[in-house]
Structures are given as structure tokens and as C-alpha cells.
Amino acid sequence: MIYLDNAATTPLDEAVLNKMLPFMRQSFGNPQSQHSAGRAAANAVISARDKTAQILGCKSEEVYFVSGGTEAGNTALKGVCAAHGNGHLIVSAIEHPALIESAKDMQKFGFEITFLKPNSRGIVSAESVSAAIRPNTIFCAVMAANNEVGTIQPVKEIGKVCKARGVFYYCDCVQTAGALPFPTEHCNALGISSHKFYGPRGFGAMFIKNGSKINRLISGGMQERGFRGGTLNAAAAVGLAEALEIAVNEREQNNKKITALRNGFLKKVLTEIDGAELNGDEFLRLPSNANISFKGCDGENILFLLDLNGVAVSTGSACSAGAVSPSHVLTAMGLPADRVKSAVRFTFGKYNTEDEVFAAAEILKKVIKKIKNP
Ligand code: PLP
């Protein structure tokens, strides 16, 4: 299989797995336990937290281990709502469903929501955030980079606006972790998910600035200083920290390699396939992302045929109850319905090779030809 769906998830790095295994085998104790097996796991969690904090650029006690990007987004949005009781929230219209659906949940409890539109290139401006802030605005979510089109958002400027107006700014960094620096100093909270940077699935971390007005979401034991109950997965914490460290150390070389792969693919596809158009800003985008519409084709159909031919990609459409709904991101960008429907996301990773990418482009050409001339 040629795996070009690295924004969905990435394979586990062997080095990360090797660091995790001892905490699944010998040192399997509960980090809350008082005996030596528990203490070994607890010490590993302490080291993982310290390493994560150092990389994020915050204090160790500002790092909370969670189950991933979805929990991080839910915790930030709902936790701030719970701490205030009422108010207005700004959520960009291109956020992950973790934020959009959380906002809709809170709307049912009387919170006012503004879903902030991006421009046609998939960028949400700091000016639009500023204009949307009301006297009762308590929360703003604009992600560091979008998961469908890879567009990089002006998080520093948005952070400045929010700070000046006393608004809690949550920055979803799930797609940028490893690829771009963390905007820790510009936000009140951020979230990462380790399976997006060659770490274990089902695990993530949040930075929450000390002194923030936010309530916990998951009540239980005293884990995570009482903020997030539930037995900690020590092996996953070790894996996240190791994967993060590797990602940051390899950042320059990986970004360079992945950009070259993506650009080679794009050049070939845009010049050799009639009607292929890139979605999202050409320059302000993650190195890994190429979101392309194919005029006159159906994205789901392309995905299916690519899969049959051994190439794994994705579309931005969501499947629920057997029906496919169009990408909320491309729709919010104001793209015409046929362009939205014909979009496919190709995302490249550090394990992809030039040969694979070339082969995928050739297979794609044949697939599009077949769809157009059945
Ligand atoms: N936020 C973004 C931008 C994502 O791309 C994803 C996953 O695709 C998530 C949040 C959810 O992360 P997780 O799968 O860890 O729940």
C-alpha cells in the first residue's frame, strides 16, 4: 500500500515503540500505586511530562495528558463554558468537529456561538476575530493549521487580539505538532495528539496556562492534579514524549523531505491531469498537504478506485448514518459545490518515498481517466 493519509494518522515509529514496551511488560504498574511497580510507572510519567513541557515551552504542571485531540478540544471549550456559566464563543468554521460539535452542544445550554468564516484560501484573519469579539466573549478557537487543506493560521496575531480583549484562546495544534513551532506563549491552551507524529493512537496532551478560568471535564481520581480522572497510560505518555522529541529534532529534515515529495506530486498532478485544482492557500500551508479537486469527478469515487489500486487517501466529507455530507471546511471557504464534491486530500509523511509518490500520481492519472471515460 502507498499510504498518503498521514494527516489522518501516522505509523508508529519503531524507536517510540521500543521506549513504550517496558511499560507494557515489566513496569506495568498503575502510576497511582504506592509500591515500586507503581513508582516506576509514575517516574516515567514525570519524565514524559517534563520532556513534553520543555518542548511545548511551558511548566510541567501546565501539561495534562488526555486521550487525544478530540478530548483536548472538548475540555478547552466545555471547560471554559462550565467555568463561566454563560457567554459568547468564537469558533472558526474550519475547526475539527471536536470544537464545532462541542460548540453546538453548548449552544443547547444557551451559550451564543459565532462560527467564523475563513477567506476563500482557507485562512481565518485576526481582524475577523477582533470584529467578532463581543463584551461577553469568553472563548475563541482557531486552529494552528487545518486538517483538510493544511492552511496555516495567523495564531500569533489571533493570540494577541484575544489576550488584549481578555478572551481565552484555544489553539488546536494537532496538525502542526512536529511540523511548526508551538504557539504556547500566544494562547491559553493548546492540544496535540501523538498518533499524528508517529506516536501511539488514543493519547494526547494539552497545555493549559496556569491560572486559567477553566473547569475539568472528567471527574474521578486525583490523576492529572485532579483535573482529569482516570488511570494514566504510562506507556503512551512515554511514547508521546519520545515521538514529540523525535519530531522536533527531525523537524527541519522531515519538512524539507516532505515538502519536496508534496511539491513533486502537485506539479505532476496539476500539469498532467486536466481540471485538477489545488484547494487552500498555495504558500501558507503545511509541507505535507495537497488537497486537490478534480473537475467532473466525485471525490468518494476517486478514493475508492485509488484504494482498489493500493493508494490510501481521504476526502473531507463526513460519513454519518450511511449518508455522505460535503466537507464543512471547503464549504466554509465558499468553494462551489462541484469543487467541494470532487476534492481529495493527499498527505505525505516521513516514511513516504519519491518512487511511491511518483507511482501514486501515475495511478491517480489512470483513475481519473477511467472515471471520465467509463
Ligand atoms: N484536531 C485536528 C485538527 C485533527 O486533525 C484531529 C484528528 O484528525 C483531531 C483534532 C482529533 O484528534 P484525535 O484523533 O486524537 O481525537
Side-chain angles (χ1 to χ4, degrees):
M1 176 185 53
I2 301 176
Y3 186 76
L4 300 183
D5 200 15
N6 288 278
T9 196
T10 52
L12 188 64
D13 189 318
E14 199 69 23
V16 173
L17 175 65
N18 288 335
K19 288 272 178 182
M20 292 171 67
L21 283 174
F23 299 95
M24 297 178 184
R25 291 179 173 147
Q26 312 87 305
S27 303
F28 60 86
N30 185 327
Q32 296 290 107
S33 298
Q34 306 295 311
H35 45 67
S36 58
R39 283 200 305 276
N43 286 337
V45 171
I46 290 171
S47 302
R49 196 185 306 282
D50 289 346
K51 198 187 270 189
T52 305
Q54 196 208 338
I55 295 170
L56 293 182
C58 64
K59 299 190 182 87
S60 295
E61 78 254 24
E62 292 176 315
V63 171
Y64 297 84
F65 289 126
V66 293
S67 65
T70 301
E71 186 185 327
N74 271 263
T75 300
L77 189 147
K78 292 176 181 171
V80 170
C81 285
H84 283 81
N86 57 53
H88 168 247
L89 287 74
I90 299 168
V91 176
S92 97
I94 59 170
E95 291 303 293
H96 187 270
L99 276 302
I100 299 215
E101 293 303 314
S102 289
K104 287 182 188 164
D105 287 349
M106 293 298 97
Q107 213 163 19
K108 292 182 198 130
F109 289 102
F111 288 88
E112 304 156 40
I113 317 285
T114 297
F115 288 108
L116 201 60
K117 284 235 153 85
N119 64 18
S120 60
R121 290 173 290 110
I123 311 282
V124 178
S125 73
E127 291 75 25
S128 69
V129 170
S130 179
I133 294 177
R134 301 175 188 169
N136 65 339
T137 303
I138 55 171
F139 179 89
C140 172
V142 179
M143 65 208 325
N146 180 261
N147 45 307
E148 284 187 38
V149 284
T151 48
I152 298 168
Q153 307 302 320
V155 291
K156 190 172 164 186
E157 290 74 18
I158 291 169
K160 273 189 193 157
V161 167
C162 289
K163 193 173 181 186
R165 311 278 289 274
V167 175
F168 185 107
Y169 175 35
Y170 175 69
C171 190
D172 178 333
C173 295
V174 168
Q175 291 292 333
T176 54
L180 298 180
F182 288 103
T184 315
E185 60 179 304
H186 307 297
C187 61
N188 299 80
L190 64 78
I192 60 173
S193 175
S194 62
H195 72 105
K196 307 288 185 178
F197 46 90
Y198 312 94
R201 270 165 283 281
F203 204 73
M206 290 181 83
F207 148 72
I208 305 177
K209 204 185 177 105
N210 270 345
S212 295
K213 195 169 173 184
I214 181 168
N215 284 9
R216 68 184 177 196
L217 202 64
I218 299 183
S219 312
M222 283 310 291
Q223 293 91 351
E224 301 304 276
R225 280 96 58 220
F227 188 76
R228 198 262 189 189
T231 301
L232 245 186
N233 183 343
V238 168
L240 177 139
E242 182 68 13
L244 194 57
E245 187 172 49
I246 293 173
V248 169
N249 288 343
E250 291 180 349
R251 171 157 54 213
E252 225 170 292
Q253 78 189 63
N254 284 345
N255 279 352
K256 201 170 157 196
K257 174 187 166 169
I258 294 167
T259 301
L261 291 177
R262 192 270 315 273
N263 287 352
F265 180 82
L266 254 185
K267 192 170 169 205
K268 195 164 163 61
V269 170
L270 296 180
T271 53
E272 296 177 23
I273 300 180
D274 232 18
E277 289 177 291
L278 179 70
N279 297 316
D281 195 282
E282 188 183 344
F283 305 105
L284 290 171
R285 66 189 307 129
L286 289 172
S288 53
N289 179 292
N291 186 305
I292 308 170
S293 288
F294 298 91
K295 218 184 180 89
C297 301
D298 181 288
E300 295 300 311
N301 206 357
I302 299 171
L303 182 150
F304 177 71
L305 290 174
L306 284 176
D307 188 34
L308 277 182
N309 286 281
V311 182
V313 299
S314 78
T315 67
S317 46
C319 221
S320 75
V324 177
S325 54
S327 150
H328 71 283
V329 172
L330 300 178
T331 304
M333 285 161 60
L335 301 187
D338 57 339
R339 186 155 166 182
V340 173
K341 208 171 148 38
S342 66
V344 179
R345 179 185 74 178
F346 305 86
T347 47
F348 305 86
K350 69 174 181 176
Y351 294 124
N352 288 128
T353 64
E354 220 173 293
D355 286 351
E356 276 185 329
V357 169
F358 183 86
E362 288 297 319
I363 294 169
L364 177 65
K365 270 164 64 181
K366 284 193 196 124
V367 161
I368 301 292
K369 204 167 166 188
K370 188 166 177 189
I371 293 173
K372 286 185 176 165
N373 311 288

